[in-house]
Amino acid sequence: MAVQQDVIVIGGGTIGLSAAYHASCRRDTQGKNYSVTLVDQYDLDNGNNSSKGYERMYRVLYAPKERARLVESAYAMWHEMESYTGNQILAEHPMLFFGFPNSGTFEGKLQDIADTMDNLGIPYDRLNSPNEISNAFPMFNPDGMPPNYVGLRQNMGATILVQPSFKAFEGLARDNGVNFITNSKAMSIKPGAGGPPYTVTLDDGTQIEAQFLILAPGIWLNDTLKYFGLQAASSWSIRTMTLGYYNTAPTYRNALPVWYEFGSADNGLYYGFQPTGQGPSNVVSQYPYAVKVSADFTHNTTNNVATALMTPPNQDILNAITQRLGSLFQPNTFSSDIALAGSEDACNYSMNGDGDMVLGRIPMGPGSTSYWKNASLFCMASGRGFKFTPLWGRVLTDLAIDGVTSYQNDIEPFSPSRKDVFQNA
C-alpha cells in the first residue's frame, strides 16, 4: 500500500531542498501543514550534483530586466534565510564585470547590462578603460587588458556560501517535518489521468502517492521526464567546467571583488571570488585565504550522464586559467603560480540549447501549452540557478499547488514550453 503524502519532491540539490522547505510551509484547507517527502538517489551532501562545491556568485548585473528583478527578490529572501537560521549565507562585497562592451555571452553583453541597470534605476559605476578598472581595483593590471575593455562596478554583489545555504534549507525543512529519503532512486513515476495522484516507486519497492509533484532532477532529467513522454531535446548537453583554488598574497586579498571577465566568447570567459575561508578542507586548512577561479568555457561536452560524471578537470583549461591570472593581475596578488594541489575540480552544467534555465509546469508534450496538473519542474540550470535558490523553491511550490505564481510574467523566458527544450521520449 502506498505511503500517502501531500507533496513529493524528486531531487535533493539546492533547488529541491528549497522547494521542499517552501512546500512544507503551505497549509491545507484545515490549516494543517502539507506533508512533504524529498527523494534523492544520493546523500544530500554528495559530489555528483551541480549544487556541489563551496561558492556561488550572487549579482544583480543582468541584461534581461525580468532577471534583474527576480534576483533582487532572491536577495531579500537570502537575507530572510540568514535571519531565520542566524548563520551567514551571503559574504557581501563589490562585484566587477569587465571586458569587451559587446562581447556576447550567456551573461548578456556589458552594454546591455548597463542599459538595464539604468532603466531599473539600480546604481553602479561605469569604468571606461583598463586604467579606470585598475584605479577602482588596484590588483588588476591594466597592461593585461585590451585597450577597449570597460567595467561595471556594483556594490550589490556577494559570494553565496554553498554549504551554509544547504544546511539552512535542510534544517528548516526538517524542522517543518519534511521526510528525507536519500540513497534511493525513483524507479518510476506514474501520473493519474492528466495529473494527480502521482505514484512514485523507489528502488526498494516503496510507493509514495502524492497530490503534488515537484521535479528538480539536475543532469538526470531524462530519468524523470520519460514518465511524462518527454526527454531533453537534441540540443541539450552537459558541460564539464574546470576550476581551481589559488592562494592570495596579503597585499590585495581583502580588497578583491567578485569578478567576471567578458573576453572572447569561445575561450576568454573567467571569473573568481574573494577569500571567504570556504573551499576543500585539505586546501583551506593550509591556505585559508585561497580563492576559487574558474573558466566559463569548456572542452568537454556530452549528453551522457555517466560520461560527464567520470570527466576530470581539464588540464589545458587549468593551464589557461593560470596563464590568464598571471597577465590579468598584478604580480603580488597571488602567492601561488598554479592551482593549489588537490583543489582542482570539475562541475557539470546541464545546458539547454539556448543556454537558459527551464522553470515551469510540466508540458503535456514538446512545445505544448497544456500541462500536467499539480506538477512543476526545474532543470537545465546552466550553472546559473543557485543565486535564485530561495525564490525558485517558492515558485515551484506555487506552480505545483496553485498552478500559477505571482512571478509568472518574469519567469516566462524560462518556460518549459518554449521551442527546442523537449522532444518526445
Side-chain angles (χ1 to χ4, degrees), residues 92-421:
E92 301 190 58
H93 29 248
M95 177 85 216
L96 173 65
F97 271 20
F98 67 104
F100 297 117
N102 290 301
S103 178
T105 75
F106 285 129
E107 305 295 338
K109 298 178 181 179
L110 282 173
Q111 185 57 56
D112 294 339
I113 293 170
D115 291 343
T116 294
M117 297 298 101
D118 290 337
N119 183 274
L120 295 178
I122 298 174
Y124 70 97
D125 296 320
R126 185 179 179 96
L127 309 171
N128 293 305
S129 68
N131 282 331
E132 288 192 14
I133 294 170
S134 182
N135 287 339
F137 298 99
M139 69 290 299
F140 286 93
N141 178 12
D143 295 332
M145 307 178 204
N148 57 336
Y149 260 30
V150 298
L152 305 177
R153 181 191 189 277
Q154 215 274 333
N155 284 331
M156 197 172 167
T159 299
I160 305 170
L161 307 180
V162 170
Q163 299 305 313
S165 97
F166 257 66
K167 289 182 174 61
F169 280 107
E170 181 188 356
L172 290 171
R174 288 190 186 279
D175 288 347
N176 277 5
V178 172
N179 177 40
F180 287 86
I181 300 178
T182 56
N183 296 299
S184 186
K185 188 173 182 177
M187 301 303 291
S188 72
I189 303 172
K190 184 179 179 181
Y198 295 96
T199 302
V200 177
T201 302
L202 306 182
D203 51 13
D204 66 355
T206 298
Q207 289 191 325
I208 304 169
E209 187 176 277
Q211 291 300 307
F212 306 102
L213 174 71
I214 298 173
L215 300 181
I219 60 176
W220 298 270
L221 68 167
N222 285 334
D223 290 349
T224 56
L225 289 171
K226 64 185 179 183
Y227 301 110
F228 300 89
L230 299 171
Q231 65 180 13
S234 59
S235 57
W236 171 72
S237 64
I238 304 170
R239 301 186 183 186
T240 302
M241 316 304 286
T242 294
L243 62 96
Y245 283 77
Y246 294 77
N247 195 36
T248 57
T251 309
Y252 296 118
R253 65 173 48 139
N254 293 324
L256 272 170
V258 181
W259 57 273
Y260 189 103
E261 180 183 11
F262 288 67
S264 59
D266 54 348
N267 62 0
L269 308 177
Y270 299 93
Y271 63 93
F273 295 85
Q274 189 187 56
T276 61
Q278 301 288 310
S281 58
N282 63 310
V283 173
V284 296
S285 61
Q286 291 183 275
Y287 304 99
Y289 297 101
V291 295
K292 171 184 163 183
V293 182
S294 180
D296 203 17
F297 60 90
T298 184
H299 302 327
N300 302 101
T301 301
T302 182
N303 57 14
N304 183 284
V305 172
T307 299
L309 292 176
M310 293 295 291
T311 301
N314 186 287
Q315 189 58 52
D316 288 340
I317 292 181
L318 284 168
N319 293 340
I321 294 172
T322 297
Q323 183 176 1
R324 187 62 186 126
L325 292 181
S327 60
L328 185 59
F329 287 87
Q330 299 288 0
N332 53 348
T333 303
F334 296 97
S335 63
S336 56
D337 294 330
I338 61 174
L340 296 167
S343 76
E344 308 93 337
D345 203 359
C347 184
N348 290 311
Y349 288 0
S350 179
M351 303 284 292
N352 185 41
D354 63 10
D356 222 337
M357 297 175 276
V358 176
L359 172 70
R361 298 171 68 193
I362 302 175
M364 288 282 193
S368 174
T369 54
S370 297
Y371 302 98
W372 293 89
K373 187 179 179 182
N374 294 6
S376 60
L377 166 72
F378 178 74
C379 63
M380 305 185 198
S382 306
R384 290 160 179 83
F386 205 106
K387 65 182 69 65
F388 296 98
T389 291
L391 180 59
W392 281 179
R394 176 181 291 174
V395 168
L396 286 166
T397 298
D398 291 345
L399 294 173
I401 295 176
D402 304 322
V404 69
T405 177
S406 57
Y407 302 94
Q408 199 71 45
N409 290 335
D410 281 345
I411 67 168
E412 192 57 34
F414 310 128
S415 172
S417 298
R418 68 185 192 268
K419 185 179 179 182
D420 295 330
V421 172

